[in-house]
Each structure stands twice: as structure tokens, then as C-alpha cells.
């Protein structure tokens, strides 16, 4: 009945899903937004969201793909056996994909830039080397454009080759390598004087620091970091054969993703507190802290080469998943050849990315609602489009597909869990999302 490509096996799928989830969101974004939002209380809410909202929606999203056996839009149609109104979820996801990949690629470009500088040994000049380098990069639309161009070309190249072929091999090798390197950095940070402060900052919640936008950001980030609400997991789930179990995979992806984010956070904040840097340093945080450390460590230059290389691979296995969603949609519904779809969509996103490139220089003073294009794209997609996409996915599986779906996911013999999952999807997760968004919007209209 269906002849779409499928993963070569369970491991391949787990790797691809984990590869999509683990990326800049964990190593760059999580530490930076945690710093901006004051630490512990934010982390606690984020963890809460992963467990209660993210994980169930991850399961739901994979289920829609696996059963629907199509792209983000058609999976809904297939499940309802008609042109489903729920397919609007797919369009929310597609628009988020354009926005997210446009800035993701620019940040990926920063990583490539830092890889080049590591190779040129630019981070061996003591403590202030890193800081100057970052502001120089931000000030230069030219340098950022080069990084953005290369990152986007790599993403397009991999998607052209088909996600299964190119990506599987590399992720199998490089994800474990990244884990090992992070473990090494973590052990090193245990010996830094700032480690205790980092622990306290991340794990001692101070709720007085929490504002309603922090809560919204925590919810949004739980979607961003698990690649949810945009159809990645629908698309990847659709490449699954019918036998695979979703729950175990979903739990593993959520666990690994969270674990990596927390380790990255501890590593980065240990450096912050050791060298008296600013925890709320913003999007540049990772790029200021790590080179600082590398420039002081024995073997630091080599570590820095390895680190930025592995982070760029982690970023690529995520960016590829974003582009794949859109390409798969155009390929199937509009019958555009895969190659053409990849090139056109990639190029449009590439152009959009320049608004982010210019956000730190030419257009630095240009603000919409007080936000640069970079922040605006991030805010619209992470805080609104992804949670709304997730909300619809949750409601669709909870109310429309209902108990039979939950039983199918959990297994015949565990009806209690099926009911628990069902009510989380029907009420708890949607309510959490709605309350947080409404709370934020009310406070801001009121203010
Ligand atoms: N989850 C990835 C990260 O943390 C980014 C990502 C990939 C993503 N696909 C996504 C974010 C889909 C939102 C939606 O780096």
C-alpha cells in the first residue's frame, strides 16, 4: 500500500530522532536562556514541561506519523480518511520551519566560524581572546554570511542525499563522540572553583526571579529542544515500520536530550562563575565561555577543535530534520521533485537568514515590539507556533483518535497507562500550554 522509504532499523530511527532533538538547542540555547531567565526556577519549570508536556506530545507526534504514513499535512488526512481540518497543524509547523531554520543556520554558521578560529589557534591568547572574537563576528555581516552560507549548503547537501543515506552513518559515529567530549568537559568543570556556584544557579530555584515570559520561554524551549510541534517527529515517525514501539524511543530521546542540556549547562556556568562572566550574557554565552576555558586548559586548542566540530555536526543533524519536513511536504503533496523542492525551500530559508545576520550589525537598531529580527523569529516560533502546533497535536490524538490510539501506543495489557496518557493529552498538556500563553498575553496587554 505504501512505498515510502523506511528506516533501515530501530537503531537508525532512534539515532535520527535523537540527532534531531540534540543540537544547538541543548548546547547553545538552553544555557543562554537559563542565564537570561535567572537559573534554577526556570530550569525546574523546563524539566516539568519536558516530563508533562513534551514527552506525551513527542509520543503523540510519533504516533501520528507512524499511523498516518505521510508528511506533516497528509498524515492528518490519512488518519481521518478525508481532508481533515486538523491538517492546519501541519501548516503551523511548516511556517515554524522557515523561521527556525533561518536563524538556526546563522548560529550554526557562528559555530563553523569558531571551528575555523580554533584551527587557526586563535583561542590560545589568554582570557580576553574569546570576547573580542565574538563581538568582531557579530559586527561583521560578511563573516556571519560566510558561516550561514556554508551551514545552509551543508544542510541542503545532506537533505539532497536523502536523510537516511548520508545522515545515518555520521550520527552513529559523531553523537557518541559528542557525548564523550561533553563528559570530559564536565569532569574538568568539577575541578573549577565556579562549579559549586553553577550547581546552585541551575538547581536552587528562586521563584522571585520568575516572570510570566520566563514560564512561556520554558514551555517554548521544551518544544524547541525536543523538535516538537513542527512535524519533525511526524515526518520521522512516518518512516517507521509498523512494528516499532514508540514509548521506549520517546522516553529515551527525551531523557538523552535533557541530560545533555543539563551537562552543557553545568559546563558553561562553571566557566561563567569561575571567570566572573555575566550569566545573562545572551546568545553569545556559549561562544564566550568555552573558548575562555579552552585558552587556559592544557590541550585546550585540540579540545576546542574537536568541540566546535562535534557541535556543528549536532547542529546539522537538527537542521536537516527541519528542512526535511518542508521538503517531504512539497515532494508528496505538490509532486515537486525532491531535488527541486530542497533547492528552492533551502534558498528561501537561506535568504530569510540574512535578517538574523543583520540583527547584530546593520539592523541592530531596528526593532519590532522591541525585538531584533533574530529574537522576533525565535520568539514567534518557539513561544507561539511550536506550542500551538503541540497543542493541536495533543488535542487531535487525545480527543479525535482517542482511546484506541492510546491503547495502541501503550499496549493492550496496560489500560491504566493508556487512560493516563489519554488524559494528559486531552487536558493536562493542552491546559498547561493555554494557561501559559494566555497568562503572558494578558499581562502584556494589561501592562
Ligand atoms: N531540537 C533541535 C535542537 O535542540 C532543533 C530542532 C530540530 C527543532 N528540529 C526542530 C526545533 C523542530 C523546533 C522544531 O537544537
Amino acid at each position: 500500500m505504501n512505498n515510502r522509504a523506511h528506516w533501515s532499523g530501530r537503531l537508525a530511527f532512534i539515532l535520527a530522532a535523537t540527532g534531531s532533538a540534540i543540537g544547538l538547542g541543548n548546547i547553545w540555547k538552553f544555557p543562554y536562556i537559563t542565564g537570561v531567565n535567572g537559573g534554577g526556577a526556570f530550569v525546574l519549570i523546563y524539566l516539568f514541561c519536558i516530563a508533562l508536556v513534551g514527552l506525551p506530545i513527542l509520543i503523540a507526534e510519533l504516533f501520528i506519523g507512524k499511523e498516518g504514513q505521510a508528511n506533516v499535512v497528509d498524515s492528518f488526512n490519512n488518519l481521518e480518511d478525508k481532508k481533515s481540518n486538523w491538517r492546519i497543524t501541519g501548516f503551523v509547523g511548516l511556517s515554524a520551519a522557515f523561521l527556525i531554520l533561518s536563524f538556526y543556520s546563522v548560529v550554526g554558521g557562528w559555530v563553523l566560524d569558531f571551528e575555523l578560529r580554533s584551527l587557526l589557534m586563535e583561542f590560545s591568547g589568554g582570557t580576553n581572546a574569546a570576547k573580542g572574537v565574538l563581538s568582531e563576528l557579530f559586527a561583521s555581516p560578511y563573516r556571519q554570511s560566510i558561516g550561514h552560507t556554508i551551514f545552509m549548503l551543508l544542510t541542503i547537501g545532506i537533505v539532497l542525499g536523502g536523510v537516511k543515506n548520508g545522515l545515518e552513518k555520521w550520527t552513529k559515529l559523531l553523537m557518541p563522540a559528542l557525548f564523550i567530549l561533553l563528559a570530559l568537559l564536565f569532569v574538568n568543570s568539577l575541578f573549577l572553583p565556579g562549579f559549586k556556584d553553577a550547581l546552585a544557579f541551575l538547581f536552587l530555584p528562586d521563584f522571585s526571579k520568575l516572570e510570566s515570559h520566563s514560564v512561556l520561554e520554558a514551555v517554548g524551549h521544551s518544544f524547541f529542544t525536543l523538535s516538537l510541534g513542527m512535524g519533525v517527529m511526524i515526518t520521522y515517525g512516518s518512516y517507521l515500520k509498523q512494528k516499532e514501539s514508540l514509548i521506549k524511543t520517546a522516553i529515551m530521546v527525551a531523557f538523552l536530550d535533557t541530560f545533555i542540556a543539563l551537562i552543557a549547562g553545568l559546563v558553561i556556568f562553571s566557566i561563567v562563575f569561575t571567570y566572573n562572566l555575566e550569566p545573562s550574557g545572551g546568545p553569545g554565552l556559549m561562544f564566550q565561555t568555552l573558548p575562555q576555558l579552552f585558552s587556559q586548559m592544557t590541550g585546550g586548542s585540540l579540545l576546542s577543535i574537536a568541540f566546535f566540530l562535534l557541535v556543528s555536526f549536532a547542529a546539522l543533524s537538527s537542521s536537516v530534520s527541519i528542512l526535511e519536513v518542508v521538503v517531504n511536504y512539497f515532494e508528496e503533496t505538490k509532486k515537486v521533485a525532491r531535488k527541486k523542492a530542497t533547492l528552492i525551500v533551502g534558498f528561501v530559508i537561506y535568504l530569510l537568514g540574512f535578517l538574523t545576520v543583520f540583527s547584530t550589525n546593520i539592523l541592530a537598531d531596528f526593532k519590532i515590539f522591541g525585538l531584533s529580527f533574530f529574537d522576533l523569529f525565535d520568539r514567534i516560533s518557539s513561544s507561539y507556533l511550536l506550542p500551538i502546533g503541540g497543542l493541536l497535536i495533543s488535542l487531535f490524538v487525545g480527543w479525535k483518535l482517542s482511546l484506541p490510539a492510546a491503547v495502541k501506543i501503550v499496549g493492550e495489557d496496560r489500560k491504566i497507562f493508556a487512560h493516563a496518557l489519554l488524559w494528559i493529552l486531552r487536558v493536562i498538556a493542552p491546559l498547561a500550554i493555554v494557561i501559559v500563553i494566555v497568562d503572558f498575553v494578558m499581562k502584556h496587554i494589561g501592562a
Side-chain angles (χ1 to χ4, degrees), residues 19-27 96-97 100 104 221 223-232 257 314-315 317-319 321-322 325 382 386:
S20 170
I22 296 176
L24 295 172
N26 306 63
I27 299 164
I100 292 175
Y104 204 85
H221 188 64
F223 282 91
F224 187 94
T225 193
L226 293 177
S227 304
L228 291 181
M230 203 209 84
V232 168
D257 187 85
S317 59
S318 302
S319 62
S321 72
I322 305 177
V325 170
S382 309
L386 298 180

Side-chain angles (χ1 to χ4, degrees), residues 5 8 10 13 47 62 72 85 97 122 128 191 236 242 251 272 286 309 329 379 386 397 399 415 418 437 439:
S8 56
R10 188 175 153 74
F13 166 68
L47 291 175
L62 287 170
V72 245
N85 287 328
E122 279 187 40
N128 280 320
F191 297 100
Y236 277 18
Q242 287 306 309
I251 290 177
V272 166
M286 167 184 123
L309 184 72
Y329 166 74
R379 197 64 66 83
L386 298 180
V397 175
W399 292 102
K415 281 263 163 62
I437 293 182
D439 173 62

